[in-house]
Amino acid sequence: MRDVDSLQQLLIIMARLRDPETGCPWDKKQTFASVVPHTIEEVYELADAIEQQDFSDLKGELGDLLFQVVFYAQIAKEQGLFEFSDILETLNEKLVRRHPHVFSEARFENEKAVHANWEKEKQKERLLKAKQMQQAESVLDNIPLALPALNRAHKIQKRCANVGFDWAELDPVVAKIHEEIDEVLVEVKRTDLTEQEKQARVEDELGDLLFANVNLVRHLNANPETVLRQANQKFEKRFRLVEQAVEKQGKKMQDCSLTELDGIWNEIKKL
C-alpha cells in the first residue's frame, strides 16, 4: 500500500511541476522531444551505477528513470493522449501475453522455446503496427533509429537470424571480417580518387568492418555495447597506470618514446 501511496504522490508532484500558473518554469516548457536527451542520459547513468556496483547510487538512478516515464505520462495526459494508468495497463497486458507459460496453461520444453514464443508475439505486434501504418511488414520494423549504432546493428542481425538469414558456423563469420579488412585497405591505398572521394569510400568500408565485428560478437553470445564498454574501462584503467608510472620516473608522457610507453604498457598488462 505504501508503494501505491508513494506512486500517487509522485504523480501529484509531477502535475504540480507542470502546472501552467504555479509550476516550475523549466518543467512547464518541456515537450516529448526535449525530454528525450535527458532520458538517454539517465539510462547511461543507471548502467554506470550497475557496472560500478554502486547500489546506493542505483536507487537514485532508478528513481530518476522512473521520473522520466512519469514526465512523458504527464505531457501525454495534458494533450489528451493517454495517462500513466494506461501505460501500466498496456505493460501488464503485454507481459502476461508474452509469458503464457507463467500466466496460462502453455508449456515450453526449454528456454529456447520460450524465446521463440516471445519473438512470435513480438512479430504479431509488428504486423499489427504495420497494418495500422499501412506499410509493408518487415522483420526489421520498430528497431529505433536512436539506438546506439552498435546496439542497433546487433538487433538488426538478431532479427535477420530469427528468419534464417545467418551463418550456422563461426568460420564464415570470421572470414567476413578478414574480407572487410582487405576491402578497407584497398580503398586506403587508392590513388585515383580525390581525398574527399577516398575518405567516403574508406568510411563506407569501415562501417562494413564494424558491422562484421558485431556479427562475430553476436555469434559468441555477447553484446557489442557491453563488451566495448568493458574494453573502454580496461583501456582507461591501464592508461591511467601508464601515466602514473611515467610520473614516478619524473617524466611527462610527451617526453617518452612510443617504445618506452609500449614497454610500460606491457608490464602493466602482465600485472
Side-chain angles (χ1 to χ4, degrees), residues 180-233:
E180 296 297 350
I181 291 174
D182 291 339
E183 291 180 4
V184 169
L185 295 178
V186 166
E187 296 301 334
V188 168
K189 296 175 182 177
R190 289 186 66 161
T191 58
D192 60 330
L193 302 172
T194 66
E195 284 302 314
Q196 187 175 3
E197 290 172 333
K198 180 177 177 179
Q199 184 64 23
R201 287 176 176 267
V202 168
E203 290 181 6
D204 185 59
E205 296 299 341
L206 285 172
D208 292 343
L209 176 58
L210 280 174
F211 195 83
N213 275 278
V214 170
N215 202 28
L216 175 61
V217 173
R218 180 180 64 85
H219 271 264
L220 295 175
N221 300 316
N223 181 284
E225 189 76 18
T226 300
V227 297
L228 186 55
R229 285 169 68 89
Q230 291 171 347
N232 288 342
Q233 291 177 357

Side-chain angles (χ1 to χ4, degrees), residues 106-137:
R107 293 291 178 266
F108 300 111
E109 294 181 3
N110 49 44
E111 185 177 344
K112 184 177 180 180
V114 171
H115 181 72
N117 179 74
W118 176 277
E119 289 298 331
K120 182 179 178 182
E121 287 298 322
K122 291 181 71 173
Q123 182 67 14
K124 290 179 182 178
E125 294 168 13
R126 289 194 291 269
L127 177 60
L128 178 61
K129 186 170 183 178
K131 287 183 177 180
Q132 292 172 343
M133 301 292 290
Q134 296 183 336
Q135 296 176 346
E137 182 200 4

Side-chain angles (χ1 to χ4, degrees), residues 57-214:
D57 190 44
L58 176 60
K59 178 176 62 176
E61 296 300 343
L62 286 169
D64 291 342
L65 189 57
L66 175 59
F67 179 71
Q68 300 297 305
V69 177
V70 171
F71 210 139
Y72 290 121
Q74 179 62 31
I75 296 174
K77 181 178 181 180
E78 294 165 3
Q79 297 181 15
L81 301 174
F82 55 83
E83 298 190 17
F84 186 77
S85 58
D86 297 315
I87 297 174
L88 297 180
E89 184 178 337
T90 301
L91 175 60
N92 291 338
E93 185 278 330
K94 183 189 298 183
L95 288 173
V96 171
R97 174 167 44 80
R98 289 182 177 180
H99 295 83
H101 52 297
V102 176
F103 299 103
S104 69
E105 300 302 317
R107 293 291 178 266
F108 300 111
E109 294 181 3
N110 49 44
E111 185 177 344
K112 184 177 180 180
V114 171
H115 181 72
N117 179 74
W118 176 277
E119 289 298 331
K120 182 179 178 182
E121 287 298 322
K122 291 181 71 173
Q123 182 67 14
K124 290 179 182 178
E125 294 168 13
R126 289 194 291 269
L127 177 60
L128 178 61
K129 186 170 183 178
K131 287 183 177 180
Q132 292 172 343
M133 301 292 290
Q134 296 183 336
Q135 296 176 346
E137 182 200 4
S138 170
V139 296
L140 300 181
D141 286 342
N142 303 332
I143 301 178
L145 288 170
L147 274 178
L150 283 177
N151 276 346
R152 193 163 193 274
H154 190 227
K155 272 190 170 291
I156 289 172
Q157 292 171 3
K158 285 176 65 178
R159 291 276 185 90
C160 293
N162 286 335
V163 294
F165 193 72
D166 192 19
W167 282 301
E169 299 177 354
L170 196 62
D171 286 350
V173 177
V174 176
K176 185 64 176 175
I177 292 176
H178 291 298
E179 176 188 325
E180 296 297 350
I181 291 174
D182 291 339
E183 291 180 4
V184 169
L185 295 178
V186 166
E187 296 301 334
V188 168
K189 296 175 182 177
R190 289 186 66 161
T191 58
D192 60 330
L193 302 172
T194 66
E195 284 302 314
Q196 187 175 3
E197 290 172 333
K198 180 177 177 179
Q199 184 64 23
R201 287 176 176 267
V202 168
E203 290 181 6
D204 185 59
E205 296 299 341
L206 285 172
D208 292 343
L209 176 58
L210 280 174
F211 195 83
N213 275 278
V214 170

